[in-house]
Structure formats: structure tokens, C-alpha cells
């Protein structure tokens, strides 16, 4: 299944937040969304996930999700959103029990996602016993358990320190390389965008419009920390972001 965003506009009262967003989210690709603070990234993610109805335009789903998909559009949040009183596997089992899956079938799904996220040995641990990076791996495992057609990730690594972020990026790349997933990945971290994005959508200052889409051909598995090509792309993205942020500041002065 792929998504097509068709001329999305959004307003909150008098304030225009998004304007004319036309975008494809191809199957099996990670699309990163970057843009100045307050330009509407999280709003766009909520619109894609159906949590918010756009004031204009529409999100079209092209094709059907796979038959074992329990929840086509699944969120991963910055703050992990784990239930503290449930173990790692208890947090994962909850979302599949919600879909009526129990017993051996549930066990097989849980074992698979624990293995894929390297959490097998931590199945019985409680969230408070885990580091931030591991908590986010649990949240990723929980999302994978419903086999989503599209994962909606809102700054999933922002709450983590920079070393943990690097490790998690490697984990996400390994996960994608083994079984490609589709994701819309919001971040304000440009290093993250060039490591993980097959394409990077740069939004303008509010109202967020698409300023540029940068496509990166290098396979994810070949992208590493300090890669010169990626750094050049990151510099280009930074130039765009800096211009938008300066223009936004200038508009504040004029207002
Ligand atoms: N439910 C709401 N009601 C009214 N205004 C809102 C609502 N949600 C967001 N906004 C406003 O819409 C604008 C865009 O918000 P949004 O959270 O989408 O931006 P963002 O790009 O995700 O920002 P950040 O980089 O800080 O996460 C902001 O000015 C915000 O204050
Ligand atoms: Mg946001």
C-alpha cells in the first residue's frame, strides 16, 4: 500500500498551518519530513494517520495493506508511550490482543518482533529496568507487531542522547534492510534525515509548504556516520532550513 497526499491544506482558526502539500509515500521507503519548528510536521503526521481531518485536500490510500496487517497506520512517539506496569512482552501482546490474536499465534508474533529488535533476553523486563534506547526499541517492536502498512514516526529518537541515537539508527537500518518497511519519519535532526531517508521533504516556515524534496540513492546499509556524501547533503538541507528560520524571524519583526 502506498499513500498519496493530495493538495493538503490545514488551518487552526485563522492560522494557516499547511498549504498545498502534494506528496507520495511509496511502499517500502522511509520519507523524512524536516522543517522549522512549528511549521506543521506533527500536524501533517496526524493528518496522514487520520487523527486530524485536513481543512483541504485528502490522503489517498492506493492498494490494500497486506493480509496480516492489523493496523495500517501505526504511530511511534518520542516518549515511547509504554505501560510501566507491563513487561516488554506484555506491552507488545496488548496491541495484538486488541485485535483478538492470542495463544500460539500471538506468541509467534511476539517472538518474531523481539528477535528483530534484539530484545529476546529482555522479554520479562519492566520498562523501568530498561535504558531509553531499549524503551524505544520496545516501542518499535510493538509497532512492528501489528505489521503496519505505514509507520508514522514523530521525532522517535529526540529524547535520546547522541550515542544512543547512533545505535538506534543502526538498528533501524538493519531492521529495514532485513524487511523493508514504509515510514514517514519526522525529525529536526538533519544527520538523522540523511542516514534514514530515501527521500527528505523540506517544509517551509508556517504555513508549511514543500520547499524541496531531496532524494538519496545510496542504500541505507551503506550509509555510515561521517559519510562525506551525506554530509554534503546535510549541508544543503541546513542552508534551506536556515533560510526558512531567518525568514520566519524577519516576519515576526514585521508583524
Ligand atoms: N490542536 C491545535 N490547535 C491549535 N493550534 C495547534 C494545534 N496543534 C498545533 N497547533 C499549532 O500549529 C502549528 C504547527 O504545529 P505542529 O505541532 O504541527 O508543528 P511542528 O512542525 O511539529 O513543530 P515542532 O518542530 O515544534 O514539533 C503550531 O503553531 C502549533 O502551535
Ligand atoms: Mg512536532
Amino acid at each position: 500500500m502506498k499513500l498519496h497526499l493530495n493538495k493538503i491544506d490545514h488551518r487552526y482558526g485563522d492560522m494557516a498551518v499547511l498549504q498545498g502539500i502534494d506528496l507520495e509515500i511509496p511502499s517500502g521507503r522511509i520519507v523524512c519530513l524536516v522543517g522549522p519548528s512549528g511549521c506543521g510536521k506533527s500536524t501533517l503526521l496526524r493528518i496522514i494517520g487520520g487523527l486530524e481531518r485536513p481543512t483541504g485536500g485528502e490522503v489517498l490510500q492506493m492498494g490494500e495493506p497486506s493480509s496480516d496487517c492489523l493496523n495500517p497506520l501505526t504511530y511511534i512517539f518520542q516518549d515511547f508511550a509504554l505501560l510501566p506496569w507491563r513487561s516488554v512482552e506484555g506491552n507488545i501482546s496488548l496491541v495484538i490482543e486488541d485485535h483478538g490474536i492470542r495463544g500460539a499465534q500471538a506468541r509467534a508474533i511476539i517472538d518474531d518482533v523481539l528477535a528483530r529488535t534484539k530484545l529476546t533476553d529482555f522479554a520479562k523486563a519492566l520498562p523501568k529496568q530498561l535504558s531509553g534506547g531499549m524503551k524505544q526499541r520496545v516501542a518499535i517492536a510493538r509497532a512492528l507487531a501489528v505489521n503496519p502498512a505505514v509507520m508514522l514516526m514523530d521525532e522517535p529518537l529526540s529524547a535520546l542522547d547522541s550515542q544512543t541515537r547512533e545505535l538506534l539508527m543502526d538498528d533501524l537500518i538493519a531492521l529495514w534492510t532485513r524487511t523493508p518497511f514504509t515510514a514517514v519519519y519526522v525529525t529536526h535532526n538533519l544527520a538523522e534525515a540523511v542516514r534514514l531517508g530515501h527521500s527528505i521533504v523540506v517544509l517551509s516556515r508556517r504555513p508549511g509548504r514543500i520547499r524541496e524534496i531531496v532524494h538519496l540513492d545510496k542504500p541505507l546499509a551503506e550509509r555510515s556516520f561521517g559519510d562525506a556524501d551525506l554530509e554534503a547533503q546535510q549541508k544543503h538541507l541546513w542552508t534551506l532550513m536556515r533560510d526558512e528560520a531567518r525568514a520566519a524571524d524577519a516576519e515576526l519583526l514585521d508583524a
Side-chain angles (χ1 to χ4, degrees), residues 40-183:
K41 303 178 292 297
S42 296
T43 303
L44 186 57
L45 211 59
R46 286 201 301 276
I47 288 172
I48 297 172
L51 298 180
E52 190 116 42
R53 202 185 154 86
T55 45
E58 57 196 339
V59 178
L60 301 169
Q61 296 187 3
M62 328 276 270
E64 294 295 317
S66 66
S67 57
D68 54 355
C69 166
L70 300 177
N71 186 28
L73 302 167
T74 300
Y75 273 89
I76 295 181
F77 297 100
Q78 181 181 335
D79 64 359
F80 325 129
L82 301 177
L83 295 179
W85 59 87
R86 290 187 75 123
S87 67
V88 167
E89 64 178 19
N91 268 280
I92 299 169
S93 68
L94 195 64
V95 294
I96 47 184
E97 279 166 15
D98 272 355
H99 291 90
I101 295 179
R102 291 188 166 74
Q105 196 188 354
R107 189 71 256 164
I109 293 173
I110 294 166
D111 287 346
D112 173 56
V113 297
L114 286 174
R116 282 162 69 191
T117 51
K118 297 188 276 182
L119 286 167
T120 305
D121 293 342
F122 301 91
K124 308 284 182 212
L126 288 171
K128 68 175 179 204
Q129 297 173 289
L130 304 177
S131 67
M134 286 169 75
K135 283 184 200 156
Q136 193 53 299
R137 271 167 35 209
V138 178
I140 292 167
R142 181 181 54 186
L144 292 172
V146 296
N147 198 14
V150 184
M151 288 211 273
L152 303 172
M153 307 171 86
D154 199 352
E155 307 208 24
L157 308 186
S158 296
L160 305 170
D161 63 78
S162 60
Q163 285 157 22
T164 309
R165 241 185 348 248
E166 283 300 327
L167 294 171
L168 254 291
M169 278 194 264
D170 285 346
D171 288 344
L172 281 171
I173 289 173
L175 206 56
W176 186 90
T177 304
R178 221 184 110 190
T179 318
F181 53 83
T182 310

Side-chain angles (χ1 to χ4, degrees), residues 203-220:
L203 294 180
S204 69
R205 64 195 181 276
R206 194 175 64 234
R209 291 141 289 158
I210 294 181
R211 167 96 200 250
E212 189 168 318
I213 302 181
V214 173
H215 295 278
L216 298 181
D217 295 331
K218 191 175 243 186
L220 294 193

